Amino acid sequence: MTERNKFISKKQAEESRRGFLKTVTGVLGSLLGLIVAIPFLDALGIGGKKGAGHFARVASVHSLPSGNPKDVSFQDMSQDAYIRQMVTRDVWTIKHSEQDVTVFSPICPHLGCRYNWHADKNEFICPCHGSVFNKEGKVLAGPAPRPLDTLPKHIVNGDLEVKWERFQVGIPQKKVVS
Amino acid sequence: MHWLQERWPVKEVFRLAMEEDIPGGPRYSYSVGSSLLFIFGLQVVSGIWQLFYYVPTIDHAYNSVNYLRLEVPFGWLIHGIHYWGAQAMIILVALHMVRVFIWGAYKRPRELTWLMGVVLLLLTLGLSFTGALLPWDEKGYFAAEVGTSIAGTVPLVGNWIKGLLRGGASMDQLTLSRFFITHVAILPGLLMMFIGVHVIAFRKQGSVGPWKESKRQTSGPFWPDQVYKDMVVISVLFLILLGLIVFVRAPITGPADPIDTTYQPKPEWNFLFLYQALKAFKGAWEPVGTVGLPLLGILLLILVPFVDRKLRRNPAKRPVAMALLGVAAASIITLTITGYLSHPGQSAAGTSGSSGGSSQQAAPADTTHSVDPPGGQLSANAKQGKQLFNSLGCVGCHTVNGQGGKVGPNLSNEGNRGRSRSWLISQIQNPKVHDQSTVMPSFSGQTQQHVEDIVDYLLTLKSGPGASGGAGSAPVAGAAADTSALPKSGERKGKPGPAAYMIGNPEHGKQIFTQQCESCHGLHGTDNVPNPGSADGKVPPLNPIDSTLYSRNAQTFVEHIDPIIQHGSMPAGPHPQLHMLPFGDSHSLTQEQIAEVEAYVLQLNGVDRAQITHPGIEPEHFFWGTLALFGLMGLVVAIGMIRRSPTRRH
């Protein structure tokens, strides 16, 4: 080999050596980065599915007026990540008889506002975008994609008990999210 | 790249940062500094990630940390990286300092780089100290309690410093808030600043390189050669860290409970040498140990490059420097080990108050009395007798030195009543012989030896006349309080209390259990302790616990047993002498203590209170998977290197 050729091949060897080191460094670094990044990003994702809900006592059925909807507030134990505390919630109740009460979630299925009962019009009307529902929860007008969401309920010893659930807004299906 | 280069000075910045010739070539021993930088980066990222979940308030801090660790996918990894990363950082800082010292890289003109390093050391220790308090757990709480009190021993300004650290006189919310901001913003900010100065100063002079002139004939580039070596070291370090995270979980020491005396506080391992050294300075000499020693140490570190002005760097030619290094390292290591092994409060000699903590013996919660007689140890027989007194349920009806029930007479002074051995023996074996109407059960089923041992114990009880129940917290089994409101056993009445939502520490729970529960539920919750008058005649065992209470799911299990501990329970039967006390409602135990006991009861039944409910990927699988990936990578690198080796020609 001539001197010049030796020099060139030495330089090539040097370059390829450097290239090899750079590659390995890059791969190791990326590996480390991914092993940290992927779990960390997953940790920020959607929270885990909530456990089975519980039924909270809302009111005695006897105290509810017959016929027309009544907005009833009640105390409920809320589990919010690591915070457990009593909170006040409310639901719309319609008493048909001492054994039959319809319970609606107070959250409009369109985009999550609170709607109101208008006795003069015999309708539920949501102030945000004008959705209108009848006493059975059916959509009469406005952008609501589905009827009012009913909540699981049972009557125990004359007391109305309700399981608080939230549903995904803006879709035609009634899907529990928490 | 070209597009970028046209707009940003990418190449120039890269060259400035990365192109450096290392005299003597790159070495693995130079990687410690970069490893430190890597770990610090991990700490920043894992720290920020924890902030998505952690809240610095005393009511929620502890639960927020556990929520992250157990219920957030990969939360165990985020928290684990931060915990073990902190330990790693301290070790690496020490290694780095030692490496730099041995190489003499603090000598002119690198003195300021060294000084910046000392500042970084102090900032790192500060981060370690402030971070420990944030979970508001037993260990961190007491470490900060003691640490701030030590700061208070500084002459003249001590109280002011202590008040500044605590945000007041006591350890409370304001303390947590300022430790939080210090740990999360102030110290990291300073650290980043000083790292910048440290690295820039280092780059100006470049690596100091080998001390032997012969080894300095060649040189090698920082990029990519040293960076490659650094990356290998960092990868190995990361795998070690991951192994620790997965197989040696960061401890859960239980929620901070300032009134609890059963926990033995000790500092984090990296402060153990100070803790141990402090014991040599008693009374008025204390400030010398708490303030003088550390200041002296720091001063010495600062002075190193100014005292040692010779430019010689070969360690073999610097005997004094190397000897001092050896002495310092040996003393710190020795002190750390002895500090780790020590158990103050058990030794006869008094220790300085700040090294605090109570005895590890099963002392009752009321610390003004001790079940041990004053002055003198119990004989072996009496010790056994005391054990039996507890496990057979005697303490359920009889009070001894403030602890126990009120169904039968107080026995605290029994040794002085002039009763003969045979009287006591027959009282235990057949109480109706002395009193026809007694409700004391007969213990005739016990062996003669056991009865003799109990009598031996009783005869040591000489606390003097008028001995009666001690202050407050001893529970009263059986007795005087109105028991009609208690739920009947088998009734699931009452809601779980806050304790059910705190993760306790089963080791600590065991200590509380020994004091408060063993007398009725027996040693380790197994013995069938008699409960005369109850339907099945026995106190229910906790190990194994009734199958309707048991659950494999820790949270469910705890929610079953918590109402019973909180609100008490009355066993079925005509006239049960013992019933479960309402430890929560009566405040005999704090919610934190109940949480600890619950963790222990779960442990007795093979359930881990600190179950990871949402791991993301199971920790062990994650570890082996990562190891496999790196192993594969290592294999590829090895093959690549073999193929490239000069003996193989293409």
Side-chain angles (χ1 to χ4, degrees), chain B residues 500-520:
Chain B
Y501 304 99
M502 284 192 248
I503 312 280
N505 170 8
E507 275 92 60
H508 190 191
K510 182 175 178 182
Q511 290 183 301
I512 301 172
F513 185 90
T514 305
Q515 292 174 20
Q516 306 280 353
C517 320
E518 205 172 79
S519 59
C520 288

Side-chain angles (χ1 to χ4, degrees), chain B residues 437-452:
Chain B
S437 63
T438 187
V439 297
M440 172 165 167
S442 143
F443 289 90
S444 53
Q446 292 299 316
T447 64
Q448 189 66 21
Q449 182 60 54
H450 279 180
V451 176
E452 301 266 10

Side-chain angles (χ1 to χ4, degrees), chain B residues 249-483:
Chain B
R249 280 171 80 181
I252 290 182
T253 60
D257 186 6
I259 73 167
D260 181 38
T261 52
T262 56
Y263 179 77
Q264 191 198 27
K266 252 183 168 179
E268 194 62 63
W269 68 271
N270 50 306
F271 291 113
L272 278 174
F273 72 99
L274 272 176
Y275 156 90
Q276 188 64 16
L278 214 53
K279 295 177 185 173
F281 299 89
K282 303 204 212 318
W285 286 98
E286 205 173 42
V288 177
T290 58
V291 182
L293 266 190
L295 277 182
L296 183 67
I298 296 168
L299 196 66
L300 285 174
L301 280 177
I302 292 175
L303 288 177
V304 157
F306 303 104
V307 161
D308 180 8
R309 286 179 193 268
K310 298 200 182 73
L311 291 178
R312 209 168 26 214
R313 291 193 300 111
N314 187 342
K317 301 217 172 80
R318 295 154 58 208
V320 175
M322 291 304 119
L324 285 173
L325 175 66
V327 165
S331 1
I332 290 179
I333 292 174
T334 313
L335 285 171
T336 303
I337 295 175
T338 44
Y340 178 77
L341 295 171
S342 75
H343 290 296
Q346 275 191 340
S347 59
T351 54
S352 60
S354 56
S355 61
S358 59
S359 165
Q360 278 198 328
Q361 296 164 341
D366 171 13
T367 51
T368 59
H369 298 277
S370 163
V371 180
D372 285 347
Q377 299 282 8
L378 294 178
S379 69
N381 287 351
K383 266 199 188 123
Q384 173 70 351
K386 178 182 167 204
Q387 179 61 55
L388 288 163
F389 189 87
N390 282 319
S391 65
L392 291 177
C394 314
V395 71
C397 293
H398 294 281
T399 299
V400 170
N401 293 336
Q403 190 189 8
K406 293 199 166 79
V407 181
N410 188 314
L411 297 177
S412 310
N413 199 29
E414 196 60 19
N416 278 337
R417 288 237 167 83
R419 304 218 205 270
S420 68
R421 281 190 76 88
S422 57
W423 191 97
L424 287 168
I425 289 172
S426 65
Q427 175 65 26
I428 293 171
Q429 289 180 323
N430 197 358
K432 283 196 156 50
V433 150
H434 298 139
D435 177 1
Q436 275 289 332
S437 63
T438 187
V439 297
M440 172 165 167
S442 143
F443 289 90
S444 53
Q446 292 299 316
T447 64
Q448 189 66 21
Q449 182 60 54
H450 279 180
V451 176
E452 301 266 10
D453 289 345
I454 293 172
V455 170
D456 281 331
Y457 171 59
L458 289 174
L459 288 173
T460 66
L461 297 175
K462 294 180 179 181
S463 64
S468 56
S473 49
V476 178
D482 171 27
T483 57

